[in-house]
Coordinates of all heavy atoms in Angstrom, one line a residue:
M1 N -13.0 -13.3 14.5 CA -12.6 -13.1 13.1 C -12.2 -11.6 13.0 O -11.4 -11.3 12.1 CB -13.9 -13.5 12.3 CG -13.6 -13.3 10.8 SD -12.8 -14.7 10.3 CE -13.2 -14.7 8.6
K2 N -12.9 -10.7 13.8 CA -12.5 -9.2 13.4 C -11.0 -9.0 13.9 O -10.4 -8.2 13.1 CB -13.5 -8.4 14.4 CG -13.2 -7.0 14.3 CD -13.7 -6.3 13.3 CE -13.5 -4.7 13.3 NZ -12.8 -4.2 12.5
K3 N -10.6 -9.7 15.0 CA -9.2 -9.5 15.4 C -8.3 -10.0 14.3 O -7.3 -9.3 14.0 CB -9.1 -10.1 16.8 CG -7.6 -10.0 17.3 CD -7.4 -10.7 18.6 CE -5.9 -10.5 19.1 NZ -5.8 -11.1 20.3
R4 N -8.6 -11.1 13.7 CA -7.7 -11.7 12.7 C -7.6 -10.7 11.4 O -6.5 -10.5 10.9 CB -8.1 -13.0 12.2 CG -7.5 -13.7 11.1 CD -8.0 -15.1 10.8 NE -7.2 -15.5 9.7 CZ -7.9 -15.8 8.5 NH1 -9.0 -15.5 8.3 NH2 -7.1 -16.3 7.5
I5 N -8.7 -10.2 11.0 CA -8.7 -9.2 10.0 C -8.0 -7.9 10.2 O -7.2 -7.4 9.4 CB -10.1 -8.9 9.5 CG1 -10.9 -10.2 9.0 CG2 -10.2 -7.8 8.6 CD1 -10.4 -10.7 7.6
D6 N -8.1 -7.5 11.5 CA -7.3 -6.4 11.9 C -5.8 -6.6 11.9 O -5.0 -5.9 11.3 CB -7.8 -5.9 13.3 CG -9.1 -5.3 13.3 OD1 -9.6 -4.8 12.4 OD2 -9.7 -5.2 14.4
Q7 N -5.4 -7.8 12.4 CA -4.0 -8.2 12.2 C -3.6 -8.3 10.8 O -2.4 -7.8 10.5 CB -3.7 -9.5 13.0 CG -3.9 -9.4 14.4 CD -3.9 -10.8 15.1 OE1 -4.1 -11.8 14.5 NE2 -3.6 -10.8 16.4
I8 N -4.3 -8.9 9.9 CA -3.8 -9.0 8.6 C -3.8 -7.6 7.9 O -2.8 -7.2 7.2 CB -4.9 -9.8 7.8 CG1 -4.7 -11.3 8.2 CG2 -4.7 -9.6 6.2 CD1 -5.8 -12.2 7.8
N9 N -4.7 -6.6 8.2 CA -4.7 -5.3 7.8 C -3.5 -4.5 8.1 O -2.8 -3.9 7.4 CB -5.9 -4.6 8.2 CG -7.2 -5.0 7.4 OD1 -7.1 -5.7 6.5 ND2 -8.3 -4.7 8.0
Q10 N -3.1 -4.7 9.4 CA -1.8 -4.1 10.1 C -0.7 -4.6 9.3 O 0.3 -3.9 8.9 CB -1.8 -4.3 11.5 CG -0.5 -3.7 12.1 CD -0.7 -2.2 12.1 OE1 -1.7 -1.6 12.1 NE2 0.5 -1.6 12.1
L11 N -0.6 -5.9 9.1 CA 0.6 -6.6 8.4 C 0.7 -6.0 7.0 O 1.8 -5.7 6.5 CB 0.5 -8.0 8.4 CG 1.6 -8.8 7.7 CD1 3.0 -8.6 8.4 CD2 1.2 -10.2 7.6
I12 N -0.4 -5.9 6.2 CA -0.4 -5.5 4.9 C 0.0 -4.1 4.8 O 0.8 -3.6 4.0 CB -1.8 -5.8 4.1 CG1 -2.0 -7.3 4.1 CG2 -1.8 -5.0 2.9 CD1 -3.4 -7.6 3.5
Q13 N -0.4 -3.3 5.8 CA -0.2 -1.9 5.9 C 1.4 -1.7 5.9 O 2.1 -1.0 5.3 CB -0.8 -1.3 6.9 CG -0.5 0.3 7.1 CD -1.4 0.9 8.3 OE1 -2.3 0.4 8.8 NE2 -0.8 2.1 8.6
E14 N 2.0 -2.4 6.9 CA 3.4 -2.4 7.0 C 4.2 -2.7 6.0 O 5.1 -2.1 5.5 CB 3.8 -3.2 8.3 CG 3.3 -2.6 9.6 CD 3.5 -3.5 10.8 OE1 4.2 -4.6 10.6 OE2 3.0 -3.3 11.9
E15 N 3.8 -3.9 5.3 CA 4.6 -4.4 4.2 C 4.5 -3.5 3.0 O 5.4 -3.2 2.2 CB 4.1 -5.7 3.9 CG 4.4 -6.8 4.9 CD 5.9 -6.9 5.0 OE1 6.7 -6.9 4.2 OE2 6.3 -7.2 6.3
I16 N 3.4 -2.9 2.6 CA 3.1 -2.0 1.6 C 4.0 -0.8 1.8 O 4.6 -0.2 0.8 CB 1.7 -1.7 1.3 CG1 1.0 -3.0 0.7 CG2 1.5 -0.5 0.3 CD1 -0.5 -2.7 0.4
G17 N 4.1 -0.3 3.1 CA 4.9 0.8 3.4 C 6.3 0.6 3.1 O 7.1 1.4 2.5
K18 N 6.8 -0.6 3.4 CA 8.1 -1.0 3.2 C 8.5 -1.1 1.6 O 9.4 -0.6 1.2 CB 8.5 -2.2 3.8 CG 8.5 -2.3 5.3 CD 8.7 -3.6 5.9 CE 8.6 -3.5 7.5 NZ 8.8 -5.0 7.9
I19 N 7.4 -1.7 0.9 CA 7.6 -1.8 -0.4 C 7.7 -0.5 -1.2 O 8.7 -0.3 -2.0 CB 6.5 -2.6 -1.0 CG1 6.6 -4.1 -0.6 CG2 6.4 -2.6 -2.7 CD1 5.3 -5.0 -0.9
I20 N 6.9 0.4 -0.8 CA 6.9 1.8 -1.5 C 8.3 2.4 -1.2 O 8.9 3.2 -2.0 CB 5.7 2.6 -1.0 CG1 4.3 2.1 -1.6 CG2 6.0 4.1 -1.3 CD1 3.1 2.7 -1.1
L21 N 8.8 2.3 0.0 CA 10.0 3.0 0.5 C 11.2 2.4 -0.1 O 12.0 3.2 -0.8 CB 10.1 2.8 2.0 CG 11.3 3.6 2.7 CD1 11.3 5.0 2.6 CD2 11.4 3.2 4.1
R22 N 11.2 1.1 -0.4 CA 12.5 0.4 -0.8 C 12.5 0.0 -2.3 O 13.5 0.1 -2.9 CB 12.7 -0.8 0.0 CG 12.9 -0.6 1.6 CD 13.3 -1.9 2.2 NE 13.5 -1.5 3.6 CZ 13.1 -2.3 4.6 NH1 12.5 -3.5 4.3 NH2 13.3 -2.0 5.9
E23 N 11.4 -0.4 -2.8 CA 11.4 -1.1 -4.1 C 10.8 -0.3 -5.2 O 11.1 -0.5 -6.4 CB 10.5 -2.4 -4.0 CG 10.9 -3.3 -2.9 CD 11.8 -4.4 -3.1 OE1 11.8 -4.7 -4.5 OE2 12.2 -5.1 -2.3
I24 N 9.9 0.7 -4.9 CA 9.2 1.4 -5.9 C 9.7 2.7 -6.2 O 9.9 3.5 -5.1 CB 7.7 1.5 -5.7 CG1 7.0 0.1 -5.4 CG2 6.9 2.2 -6.7 CD1 7.1 -0.8 -6.6
E25 N 9.8 3.2 -7.4 CA 10.5 4.4 -7.8 C 9.4 5.5 -7.8 O 8.8 5.9 -8.7 CB 11.2 4.5 -9.1 CG 12.5 3.6 -9.1 CD 13.5 4.1 -8.1 OE1 13.8 5.4 -8.2 OE2 14.2 3.3 -7.6
V26 N 9.0 6.1 -6.6 CA 8.0 7.1 -6.4 C 8.9 8.4 -6.1 O 9.9 8.3 -5.3 CB 7.1 6.8 -5.3 CG1 6.1 7.9 -5.3 CG2 6.3 5.5 -5.7
S27 N 8.4 9.5 -6.5 CA 9.0 10.9 -6.1 C 9.4 10.9 -4.7 O 8.5 10.7 -3.9 CB 8.2 11.9 -6.6 OG 7.9 11.9 -7.9
K28 N 10.6 11.1 -4.4 CA 11.2 11.3 -3.0 C 10.5 12.5 -2.4 O 10.3 12.6 -1.1 CB 12.6 11.2 -2.9 CG 13.3 10.1 -3.4 CD 12.9 8.9 -2.8 CE 13.6 7.6 -3.3 NZ 13.0 6.4 -2.9
D29 N 10.0 13.5 -3.1 CA 9.5 14.7 -2.5 C 8.0 14.5 -2.1 O 7.5 15.3 -1.4 CB 9.6 15.8 -3.5 CG 10.9 16.3 -4.0 OD1 11.8 16.0 -3.1 OD2 11.1 16.8 -5.0
A30 N 7.4 13.5 -2.6 CA 5.9 13.2 -2.3 C 5.7 12.8 -0.8 O 4.5 13.1 -0.3 CB 5.5 12.1 -3.2
M31 N 6.6 12.1 -0.3 CA 6.4 11.7 1.3 C 5.0 10.9 1.4 O 4.1 11.4 2.0 CB 6.5 13.0 2.2 CG 7.8 13.6 2.0 SD 8.8 13.6 3.5 CE 7.8 13.2 4.9
I32 N 5.0 9.7 0.9 CA 3.8 9.0 0.8 C 3.8 8.1 2.1 O 4.7 7.4 2.5 CB 3.8 8.0 -0.4 CG1 3.7 8.9 -1.6 CG2 2.5 7.0 -0.4 CD1 3.9 8.1 -2.9
T33 N 2.5 8.1 2.8 CA 2.3 7.2 4.0 C 1.2 6.4 3.8 O 0.1 6.9 3.3 CB 2.1 8.0 5.2 OG1 3.1 9.1 5.3 CG2 1.8 7.3 6.4
V34 N 1.2 5.0 4.1 CA 0.0 4.2 3.9 C -0.7 4.4 5.3 O -0.2 4.1 6.3 CB 0.5 2.7 3.7 CG1 -0.8 1.9 3.8 CG2 1.3 2.6 2.4
T35 N -1.9 4.9 5.2 CA -2.7 5.3 6.5 C -3.4 4.2 7.0 O -3.7 4.1 8.2 CB -3.5 6.6 6.3 OG1 -4.4 6.3 5.2 CG2 -2.7 7.7 6.0
R36 N -4.1 3.4 6.1 CA -4.9 2.4 6.6 C -5.1 1.3 5.5 O -5.0 1.5 4.3 CB -6.1 2.7 7.3 CG -7.4 2.6 6.6 CD -8.6 3.4 7.2 NE -9.3 3.9 6.1 CZ -10.4 4.5 6.3 NH1 -11.0 4.6 7.4 NH2 -11.0 5.0 5.2
V37 N -5.5 0.1 5.9 CA -5.8 -0.9 4.9 C -7.1 -1.6 5.4 O -7.3 -1.9 6.5 CB -4.7 -2.0 4.8 CG1 -5.2 -3.2 3.9 CG2 -3.4 -1.4 4.3
E38 N -8.1 -1.8 4.5 CA -9.3 -2.5 4.6 C -9.4 -3.7 3.8 O -9.4 -3.6 2.6 CB -10.5 -1.6 4.6 CG -10.6 -0.4 5.5 CD -11.8 0.5 5.3 OE1 -12.4 0.2 4.4 OE2 -11.9 1.3 6.1
T39 N -9.4 -4.9 4.5 CA -9.6 -6.1 3.7 C -11.0 -6.7 3.8 O -11.4 -6.7 5.0 CB -8.4 -7.1 4.2 OG1 -7.2 -6.4 4.2 CG2 -8.4 -8.3 3.4
Y40 N -11.5 -7.3 2.8 CA -12.7 -8.0 2.9 C -12.7 -9.2 3.6 O -11.4 -9.9 3.8 CB -13.3 -8.3 1.5 CG -13.8 -7.1 0.9 CD1 -13.0 -6.6 -0.2 CD2 -14.8 -6.4 1.2 CE1 -13.3 -5.3 -0.9 CE2 -15.2 -5.2 0.5 CZ -14.5 -4.8 -0.5 OH -14.8 -3.5 -1.1
S41 N -13.6 -9.8 4.3 CA -13.5 -11.0 5.1 C -13.1 -12.1 4.4 O -12.4 -13.2 5.0 CB -14.9 -11.2 5.8 OG -16.0 -11.4 4.9
D42 N -13.3 -12.3 3.0 CA -12.8 -13.4 2.3 C -11.3 -13.3 2.0 O -10.7 -14.1 1.2 CB -13.7 -13.6 1.1 CG -13.6 -12.5 0.0 OD1 -12.9 -11.4 0.4 OD2 -14.3 -12.6 -1.0
L43 N -10.7 -12.1 2.1 CA -9.3 -11.8 2.0 C -9.0 -11.7 0.4 O -7.8 -11.9 0.1 CB -8.4 -12.8 2.7 CG -8.5 -12.9 4.2 CD1 -7.6 -14.0 4.8 CD2 -8.2 -11.5 4.8
R44 N -9.9 -11.7 -0.5 CA -9.6 -11.6 -1.8 C -9.4 -10.1 -2.3 O -8.8 -9.9 -3.3 CB -10.7 -12.3 -2.7 CG -10.7 -13.7 -2.5 CD -12.0 -14.3 -3.3 NE -12.0 -15.7 -2.9 CZ -12.0 -16.7 -3.8 NH1 -11.9 -16.4 -5.2 NH2 -12.0 -17.9 -3.5
H45 N -10.1 -9.3 -1.6 CA -10.0 -7.8 -2.1 C -9.7 -6.9 -0.9 O -10.1 -7.3 0.3 CB -11.4 -7.4 -2.7 CG -11.7 -8.2 -3.9 ND1 -11.0 -8.0 -5.2 CD2 -12.5 -9.3 -4.0 CE1 -11.7 -8.9 -6.0 NE2 -12.5 -9.7 -5.4
G46 N -9.1 -5.8 -1.1 CA -8.9 -4.8 -0.1 C -8.6 -3.4 -0.7 O -8.6 -3.3 -1.9
T47 N -8.7 -2.5 0.2 CA -8.4 -1.1 -0.1 C -7.4 -0.6 0.6 O -7.3 -0.7 1.9 CB -9.8 -0.3 0.1 OG1 -10.8 -0.8 -0.6 CG2 -9.5 1.2 -0.4
V48 N -6.4 0.2 -0.1 CA -5.2 0.7 0.7 C -5.5 2.3 0.6 O -5.7 2.8 -0.4 CB -3.9 0.3 -0.1 CG1 -2.8 1.0 0.7 CG2 -3.8 -1.1 0.1
Y49 N -5.3 2.9 1.7 CA -5.4 4.4 1.8 C -4.1 5.0 2.1 O -3.3 4.5 2.9 CB -6.4 4.8 3.0 CG -7.8 4.4 2.7 CD1 -8.2 3.1 3.2 CD2 -8.7 5.1 2.2 CE1 -9.4 2.6 3.0 CE2 -10.1 4.7 2.0 CZ -10.4 3.5 2.3 OH -11.8 3.1 2.2
V50 N -3.7 5.9 1.2 CA -2.4 6.7 1.5 C -2.6 8.1 1.6 O -3.7 8.7 1.3 CB -1.6 6.5 0.1 CG1 -1.3 5.0 -0.1 CG2 -2.3 7.1 -1.1
S51 N -1.6 8.7 2.3 CA -1.6 10.2 2.4 C -0.3 10.7 1.9 O 0.7 10.0 2.0 CB -1.6 10.3 4.1 OG -1.5 11.8 4.2
M52 N -0.3 12.0 1.4 CA 0.9 12.5 0.8 C 1.1 13.9 1.5 O 0.1 14.7 1.8 CB 0.8 12.6 -0.6 CG 0.9 11.4 -1.3 SD 0.6 11.5 -3.0 CE -0.2 9.8 -3.4
L53 N 2.2 14.3 1.8 CA 2.6 15.6 2.4 C 2.6 16.8 1.4 O 2.0 17.7 1.8 CB 3.9 15.4 3.1 CG 4.2 16.3 4.3 CD1 3.2 15.7 5.4 CD2 5.6 16.3 4.8
H54 N 3.3 16.6 0.3 CA 3.4 17.7 -0.7 C 2.2 17.6 -1.7 O 2.2 16.8 -2.6 CB 4.7 17.8 -1.4 CG 5.9 17.9 -0.4 ND1 6.1 19.2 0.0 CD2 6.7 17.0 0.1 CE1 7.2 18.9 1.0 NE2 7.6 17.7 1.1
K55 N 1.2 18.5 -1.6 CA 0.0 18.5 -2.3 C 0.3 18.7 -3.9 O -0.3 18.2 -4.7 CB -1.1 19.5 -1.9 CG -1.6 19.1 -0.6 CD -2.3 17.8 -0.6 CE -2.9 17.4 0.8 NZ -3.6 16.1 0.8
E56 N 1.4 19.5 -4.1 CA 1.7 19.9 -5.6 C 2.4 18.6 -6.3 O 2.3 18.6 -7.5 CB 2.7 21.0 -5.6 CG 4.0 20.9 -5.0 CD 4.0 21.2 -3.4 OE1 3.0 21.6 -3.0 OE2 5.1 21.0 -2.8
K57 N 2.9 17.7 -5.6 CA 3.4 16.5 -6.2 C 2.3 15.3 -6.2 O 2.7 14.2 -6.6 CB 4.7 16.1 -5.4 CG 5.7 17.0 -5.3 CD 6.5 17.0 -6.7 CE 7.7 17.8 -6.5 NZ 8.5 17.9 -7.6
E58 N 1.1 15.5 -5.6 CA 0.3 14.4 -5.3 C -0.2 13.7 -6.6 O -0.2 12.5 -6.6 CB -1.0 15.0 -4.5 CG -2.0 14.0 -4.4 CD -3.3 14.7 -3.5 OE1 -3.1 15.7 -2.9 OE2 -4.3 14.1 -3.6
S59 N -0.6 14.5 -7.6 CA -1.0 13.8 -8.8 C 0.0 13.0 -9.5 O -0.1 11.9 -10.0 CB -1.6 14.8 -9.8 OG -0.7 15.8 -10.1
Q60 N 1.3 13.5 -9.6 CA 2.4 12.8 -10.1 C 2.7 11.4 -9.2 O 2.9 10.5 -9.8 CB 3.7 13.7 -10.0 CG 4.9 12.9 -10.6 CD 6.2 13.8 -10.4 OE1 6.2 15.0 -9.9 NE2 7.3 13.3 -10.9
A61 N 2.7 11.6 -7.9 CA 2.9 10.5 -7.1 C 1.9 9.4 -7.2 O 2.1 8.2 -7.3 CB 3.1 10.9 -5.6
L62 N 0.6 9.8 -7.3 CA -0.5 8.9 -7.4 C -0.4 8.1 -8.8 O -0.6 7.1 -8.9 CB -1.9 9.6 -7.3 CG -2.4 9.8 -5.9 CD1 -3.8 10.6 -5.9 CD2 -2.5 8.5 -5.2
G63 N 0.0 9.0 -9.8 CA 0.2 8.2 -11.1 C 1.3 7.3 -11.1 O 1.0 6.2 -11.8
E64 N 2.4 7.5 -10.4 CA 3.5 6.6 -10.3 C 2.9 5.4 -9.5 O 3.4 4.4 -9.9 CB 4.6 7.2 -9.6 CG 5.4 8.3 -10.5 CD 6.4 9.1 -9.7 OE1 6.7 8.6 -8.7 OE2 6.9 10.1 -10.4
L65 N 2.2 5.6 -8.5 CA 1.7 4.4 -7.7 C 0.7 3.6 -8.6 O 0.9 2.3 -8.4 CB 1.1 4.9 -6.4 CG 1.9 5.3 -5.3 CD1 1.0 5.8 -4.2 CD2 2.7 4.1 -4.8
N66 N -0.1 4.2 -9.4 CA -1.0 3.5 -10.3 C -0.4 2.7 -11.3 O -0.8 1.5 -11.6 CB -2.1 4.4 -10.7 CG -3.2 4.9 -9.8 OD1 -3.6 4.1 -9.0 ND2 -3.7 6.1 -10.0
R67 N 0.8 3.3 -11.7 CA 1.5 2.6 -12.8 C 2.2 1.3 -12.2 O 2.4 0.3 -12.9 CB 2.5 3.6 -13.5 CG 1.9 4.3 -14.5 CD 3.1 5.0 -15.4 NE 3.9 5.9 -14.5 CZ 3.5 7.1 -14.2 NH1 2.3 7.6 -14.5 NH2 4.3 7.9 -13.5
T68 N 2.5 1.4 -11.0 CA 3.3 0.3 -10.3 C 2.4 -0.7 -9.5 O 3.1 -1.4 -8.8 CB 4.6 0.8 -9.6 OG1 4.0 1.6 -8.5 CG2 5.5 1.6 -10.4
I69 N 1.2 -0.4 -9.6 CA 0.3 -1.2 -8.7 C 0.5 -2.8 -8.8 O 0.5 -3.5 -7.8 CB -1.1 -1.0 -8.9 CG1 -2.0 -1.4 -7.7 CG2 -1.7 -1.2 -10.2 CD1 -3.4 -0.8 -7.5
Y70 N 0.7 -3.3 -10.0 CA 0.8 -4.7 -10.1 C 2.3 -5.0 -9.6 O 2.4 -6.3 -9.1 CB 0.7 -5.2 -11.6 CG -0.7 -5.0 -12.0 CD1 -1.0 -3.9 -13.2 CD2 -1.9 -5.5 -11.5 CE1 -2.3 -3.7 -13.3 CE2 -3.1 -5.4 -11.9 CZ -3.4 -4.3 -12.9 OH -4.7 -4.1 -13.1
D71 N 3.2 -4.4 -9.7 CA 4.6 -4.6 -9.1 C 4.4 -4.7 -7.6 O 5.0 -5.6 -7.0 CB 5.6 -3.6 -9.4 CG 5.9 -3.6 -10.9 OD1 5.7 -4.6 -11.6 OD2 6.3 -2.4 -11.5
I72 N 3.6 -3.7 -7.0 CA 3.5 -3.8 -5.5 C 2.8 -5.0 -5.1 O 3.1 -5.7 -4.1 CB 2.7 -2.5 -5.1 CG1 3.6 -1.2 -5.4 CG2 2.3 -2.6 -3.6 CD1 2.8 0.1 -5.1
Q73 N 1.7 -5.4 -5.9 CA 0.9 -6.5 -5.6 C 1.9 -7.8 -5.7 O 1.8 -8.7 -4.8 CB -0.3 -6.8 -6.6 CG -1.4 -5.8 -6.2 CD -2.5 -6.0 -7.3 OE1 -2.3 -6.6 -8.3 NE2 -3.7 -5.4 -6.9
Y74 N 2.7 -7.9 -6.6 CA 3.5 -9.0 -6.9 C 4.6 -9.2 -5.7 O 4.7 -10.4 -5.2 CB 4.4 -8.9 -8.2 CG 5.3 -9.9 -8.5 CD1 4.9 -11.2 -8.8 CD2 6.7 -9.8 -8.1 CE1 5.9 -12.3 -9.0 CE2 7.6 -10.8 -8.4 CZ 7.2 -12.1 -8.8 OH 7.9 -13.0 -9.0
I75 N 5.2 -8.1 -5.3 CA 6.1 -8.1 -4.2 C 5.5 -8.5 -2.9 O 5.9 -9.2 -2.2 CB 6.9 -6.8 -4.1 CG1 7.7 -6.6 -5.5 CG2 7.8 -6.7 -2.8 CD1 8.2 -5.1 -5.4
L76 N 4.3 -7.9 -2.8 CA 3.4 -8.2 -1.6 C 3.1 -9.7 -1.5 O 3.2 -10.3 -0.5 CB 2.2 -7.3 -1.5 CG 1.4 -7.6 -0.2 CD1 2.1 -7.1 1.1 CD2 0.0 -6.8 -0.3
N77 N 2.7 -10.2 -2.6 CA 2.2 -11.6 -2.6 C 3.5 -12.5 -2.3 O 3.3 -13.5 -1.6 CB 1.7 -12.0 -4.0 CG 0.3 -11.5 -4.2 OD1 -0.3 -11.1 -3.1 ND2 -0.1 -11.3 -5.4
R78 N 4.6 -12.2 -2.9 CA 5.9 -12.9 -2.7 C 6.2 -12.8 -1.1 O 6.7 -13.7 -0.6 CB 7.0 -12.3 -3.5 CG 7.8 -13.3 -4.1 CD 9.0 -12.8 -5.0 NE 9.3 -11.5 -4.4 CZ 10.1 -10.6 -5.1 NH1 10.6 -10.9 -6.2 NH2 10.4 -9.5 -4.6
T79 N 6.1 -11.6 -0.6 CA 6.5 -11.4 0.9 C 5.6 -12.2 1.8 O 6.1 -12.7 2.8 CB 6.5 -9.9 1.1 OG1 7.4 -9.2 0.2 CG2 7.0 -9.7 2.6
L80 N 4.3 -12.1 1.6 CA 3.3 -12.7 2.5 C 3.2 -14.1 2.2 O 3.0 -15.0 3.1 CB 2.1 -12.0 2.4 CG 1.9 -10.6 2.8 CD1 0.5 -10.1 2.6 CD2 2.4 -10.4 4.2

């Protein structure tokens, strides 16, 4: 079961990275990277960890991500 969850986490990490890069209007200066994803064993909830390069743009980029979280979820659900 652990291997399956790890594979799912990797897939979600890649897809969210693609979504942020292509579909979501986040500051291009922020350089956001999805570093890891942790999904619960029931696959109903998970946590996505991100990293940003430019610390001065961090709060603005996090605000933009929080505003578009439901759009990201919708696109991810459609993709998976």
Side-chain angles (χ1 to χ4, degrees):
M1 183 80 155
K2 175 84 169 114
K3 183 178 178 182
R4 178 176 176 249
I5 295 295
D6 289 341
Q7 290 173 338
I8 291 170
N9 289 341
Q10 181 67 30
L11 177 64
I12 292 172
Q13 179 180 348
E14 291 172 6
E15 291 300 323
I16 290 177
K18 290 177 189 176
I19 291 168
I20 291 172
L21 181 65
R22 295 185 185 142
E23 311 253 352
I24 303 300
E25 293 294 325
V26 180
S27 297
K28 299 301 179 193
D29 297 338
M31 303 243 340
I32 299 171
T33 303
V34 179
T35 57
R36 106 185 139 170
V37 174
E38 291 180 358
T39 308
Y40 293 104
S41 59
D42 65 358
L43 301 177
R44 290 179 185 236
H45 301 282
T47 305
V48 177
Y49 296 90
V50 296
S51 172
M52 293 179 208
L53 211 68
H54 298 283
K55 294 295 181 184
E56 61 274 358
K57 302 278 186 178
E58 183 176 334
S59 62
Q60 178 186 1
L62 279 176
E64 291 174 13
L65 280 177
N66 282 330
R67 279 192 297 280
T68 60
I69 194 165
Y70 296 112
D71 296 332
I72 295 170
Q73 287 178 346
Y74 175 76
I75 296 167
L76 181 64
N77 289 336
R78 217 178 37 186
T79 304
L80 298 180

